[in-house]
Amino acid sequence: MSKIRTRIAPSPTGSPHIGTAYAALFNYVFAKKNKGDFILRIEDTDRTRFVEGSEQEINEALSWLDLDTDESPLKKGNFGPYRQSERLEIYKEYIEKLLTAGKAYYCDCSEQRLLKVREEQQSRKENPHYDRKCRYDPPIKTNNAVVRLSVALDGETEVEDLIRGRIVFENKLIDDQVLMKSDGFPTYHLASVIDDHLMEISHVIRAEEWLSSTPKHVLLYQAFGWKLPHFAHLPLLRNQDKSKISKRKNPVAVEFYRREGYLPEALVNFLALMGWSMPHDQEIFTLEEMINNFTFDRIGTVGPVFDVQKLDWLNGEYIRALPDHELVKLLLSGFTKYSKDQVELIITLVKERLKKLSEFDKFVAYFFEEEFNPNVELIQVVSGHSKNDTIDKLNDLLLEAKRIENNNWGKKNLEDILKNKPDQIGWSKTNYFQTIRVCVSGTNQTPPLFDILEVIGKDKVLKRISANISELEKLSD
Ligand code: GLU
């Protein structure tokens, strides 16, 4: 069997899209499972949409996700990347072959004529298509002409899709598509087919939105007399409302997820779960495990919803699985303004609840910041007792806490001193300890209370309790 080779062929039109990462993952996995190659081809023939720097970003995103391509510019000694804009001579050579064989033809129909034909077809409720005028009445001059494929007028074109099975398209509904534009640049269809053939791509694995182009590609392969690759069209990623994923409803740039502090392993795991499943519905798995278990028949055809809450949950799982020192290193790589010592001091406490690295500073501010805004609304909710009763109990606490020597301000000692308080004063443990928690942190969700009291320190704890008492006193009864 010939070597398995897959590719992604993004257009460099901006920051790489999450859909590109999704296609890259499945192409990578299938190639690696079969000891094959995974190739990057930059489809940059549409110069109006070209964005400088985008190619570099694509490479960085792939490398961050650990989906490095073979023949990549980031790997020394390789011959990629493939850029279509550097291959124009190749496309010209092949278009000549089609013209000579009578399988393609020049067309010089003007925009206005094409528009008129389309309008007439629409008024007759026909599918808009080129009426093939130049196929039967060739233009005399060809310098400003486009080249079109001569598509058979009847019969059918079959696409055998590894995910969707056999799909049949009627030829009479397939347009005599443009292969080469009047400026000598190839269209996507032409360049993509020639490149997939010359680069010996064995499996074209891409998003569902390209499925309707595939019969055109099959016809082109046939016109060239080339062997078809295998095709697989991945389901489309969807927004919560089931529409095609779009930046209006969902962040789509890979870079967004990197900046938010999602771990690449978690993002890859999440993308793998989009439409594909592991045996026994295992939810957390490595890229290696995916490679070992990958088959096309585990991919569904229904477009999976890109559920950011699920991604958050997965990311939290990956964060917890990291050794503390690695998590500290990652946080210090640009996700926190706090020092190494500060981060190390609290990492085990906050690791449990962290979902994204970018949330870290917000989560831990109360440990370190001098400035503190009492949250007396929440205190009133969690205390479960009247304002005055709460103030009394906080004043008692303040006295008690003041008596604790600085060097005894440790979680064990604090627990010993405070653990029987609720019973003594007739409050439930929840009411009492939640009140203290909100007093010192401003929130009712924190790591264990005595741990945070120890880290925040006696000074700040006393100040915050006093500040809360003053704020409560200002409230009307
Ligand atoms: N240039 C197309 C894109 O931007 C490639 C589609 C394909 O994989 O054939 O996604």
Side-chain angles (χ1 to χ4, degrees):
M1 205 176 86
S2 56
K3 192 163 193 193
I4 299 293
R5 283 170 61 89
T6 64
R7 57 33 166 208
I8 51 163
S11 299
T13 53
S15 191
H17 193 281
I18 196 73
T20 300
Y22 179 60
L25 171 64
F26 284 85
N27 276 283
Y28 177 90
V29 164
F30 182 69
K32 295 305 146 188
K33 184 176 175 80
N34 293 288
K35 313 254 173 300
D37 296 332
F38 167 53
I39 307 292
L40 171 64
R41 181 171 75 229
I42 302 293
E43 299 208 330
D44 59 350
T45 53
D46 184 351
R47 303 311 283 177
T48 55
R49 296 177 62 225
F50 178 81
V51 173
E52 195 66 53
S54 174
E55 179 184 320
Q56 172 73 8
E57 283 189 74
I58 292 168
N59 279 303
E60 282 168 4
L62 292 175
S63 168
W64 178 64
L65 293 167
D66 208 14
L67 303 175
D68 275 313
T69 50
D70 299 290
E71 302 167 25
S72 145
L74 296 187
K75 286 189 184 170
K76 286 212 175 69
N78 275 307
F79 37 87
Y82 303 103
R83 296 188 196 97
Q84 289 189 327
S85 61
E86 294 168 0
R87 300 168 58 78
L88 300 181
E89 287 310 312
I90 300 177
Y91 309 127
K92 286 204 179 113
E93 180 191 327
Y94 280 94
I95 206 82
E96 282 305 325
K97 290 188 196 213
L98 287 184
L99 285 164
T100 315
K103 298 196 166 153
Y105 61 91
Y106 283 109
C107 163
D108 69 349
C109 289
S110 65
E111 275 302 316
Q112 292 94 305
R113 175 168 192 279
L114 294 177
L115 195 68
K116 193 159 156 267
V117 168
R118 207 172 309 139
E119 279 168 4
E120 284 168 9
Q121 289 167 338
Q122 274 164 341
S123 70
R124 292 195 302 268
K125 305 250 175 314
E126 285 174 21
N127 268 342
H129 59 276
Y130 177 57
D131 65 356
R132 305 191 173 99
K133 172 179 171 289
C134 296
R135 182 158 161 182
Y136 306 114
D137 177 15
I140 317 224
K141 285 214 225 103
T142 56
N143 37 358
N144 274 323
V146 303
V147 178
R148 291 181 181 272
L149 183 70
S150 302
V151 174
L153 303 179
D154 44 28
E156 290 170 337
T157 297
E158 276 179 33
V159 175
E160 195 60 51
D161 187 279
L162 290 167
I163 300 171
R164 286 148 215 278
R166 186 164 158 264
I167 307 166
V168 178
F169 297 83
E170 277 185 84
N171 287 346
K172 66 171 188 273
L173 299 178
I174 304 174
D175 214 355
D176 275 9
Q177 65 204 269
V178 175
L179 300 177
M180 178 89 67
K181 294 176 262 182
S182 55
D183 59 6
F185 273 70
T187 57
Y188 155 67
H189 305 299
L190 180 74
S192 167
V193 165
I194 293 178
D195 283 347
D196 283 340
H197 172 74
L198 295 180
M199 293 171 191
E200 297 176 9
I201 301 302
S202 63
H203 290 71
V204 171
I205 306 167
R206 61 184 165 201
E208 186 182 341
E209 60 193 323
W210 303 102
L211 185 58
S212 59
S213 299
T214 307
K216 301 180 183 174
H217 298 183
V218 170
L219 288 169
L220 256 171
Y221 277 98
Q222 289 168 353
F224 281 119
W226 291 338
K227 185 170 171 273
L228 286 174
H230 296 280
F231 291 103
H233 290 87
L234 299 166
L236 267 194
L237 302 181
R238 298 190 183 274
N239 298 311
Q240 291 286 355
D241 64 5
K242 306 275 160 77
S243 55
K244 178 185 160 189
I245 198 163
S246 63
K247 65 175 165 217
R248 268 189 310 117
K249 301 196 177 142
N250 215 93
V252 292
V254 176
E255 183 53 22
F256 168 85
Y257 294 93
R258 175 165 31 184
R259 268 191 280 111
E260 278 294 289
Y262 290 99
L263 306 189
E265 298 81 2
L267 186 56
V268 161
N269 189 157
F270 175 72
L271 290 174
L273 289 171
M274 298 277 97
W276 185 76
S277 58
M278 270 286 264
H280 314 296
D281 284 329
Q282 185 183 334
E283 291 212 283
I284 300 181
F285 47 86
T286 60
L287 188 54
E288 205 53 42
E289 286 175 289
M290 181 182 181
I291 293 171
N292 292 335
N293 288 282
F294 183 78
T295 52
F296 278 110
D297 58 14
R298 302 195 70 87
I299 302 181
T301 50
V302 180
V305 171
F306 196 95
D307 178 357
V308 178
Q309 278 182 349
K310 171 121 192 209
L311 173 59
D312 285 352
W313 166 77
L314 252 182
N315 204 48
E317 295 292 314
Y318 275 85
I319 286 178
R320 275 185 285 293
L322 279 181
D324 284 0
H325 70 273
E326 277 185 34
L327 182 53
V328 171
K329 207 165 121 199
L330 277 177
L331 285 163
L332 292 170
S333 73
F335 289 99
T336 182
K337 62 176 183 184
Y338 296 111
S339 70
K340 183 161 186 266
D341 287 349
Q342 286 173 309
V343 176
E344 278 174 348
L345 186 64
I346 53 165
I347 195 67
T348 41
L349 295 181
V350 295
K351 195 174 168 182
E352 280 311 304
R353 296 188 49 245
L354 199 59
K355 292 206 174 82
K356 303 186 271 189
L357 303 182
S358 61
E359 286 174 350
F360 180 78
D361 279 9
K362 195 179 79 200
F363 261 31
V364 305
Y366 64 82
F367 285 109
F368 306 121
E369 300 296 322
E370 283 303 327
E371 209 167 296
F372 182 79
N373 293 323
N375 187 350
V376 287
E377 288 77 27
L378 189 55
I379 290 190
Q380 289 195 297
V381 174
V382 297
S383 94
H385 291 80
S386 71
K387 182 191 96 175
N388 289 334
D389 194 6
T390 308
I391 293 175
D392 282 351
K393 299 303 179 296
L394 288 176
N395 273 319
D396 289 348
L397 175 66
L398 203 53
L399 284 178
E400 192 109 25
K402 274 184 186 153
R403 282 203 294 271
I404 304 172
E405 298 287 333
N406 268 336
N407 52 356
N408 277 336
W409 191 268
K411 61 181 176 185
K412 178 81 190 53
N413 199 31
L414 288 164
E415 184 171 0
D416 287 345
I417 295 169
L418 294 176
K419 70 177 175 222
N420 295 322
K421 270 275 169 249
D423 277 353
Q424 289 163 10
I425 62 172
W427 279 32
S428 74
K429 282 197 168 44
T430 315
N431 286 150
Y432 188 67
F433 291 129
Q434 282 290 64
T435 303
I436 305 178
R437 188 188 302 277
V438 179
C439 265
V440 299
S441 71
T443 133
N444 57 352
Q445 288 183 347
T446 71
L449 177 63
F450 302 111
D451 289 272
I452 70 165
L453 289 177
E454 174 181 314
V455 178
I456 295 171
K458 180 175 168 184
D459 240 29
K460 283 200 210 107
V461 167
L462 294 184
K463 272 196 209 143
R464 288 178 190 178
I465 296 173
S466 306
N468 277 287
I469 294 172
S470 320
E471 283 303 305
L472 280 167
E473 280 168 343
K474 286 186 205 155
L475 296 177
S476 55
D477 286 314

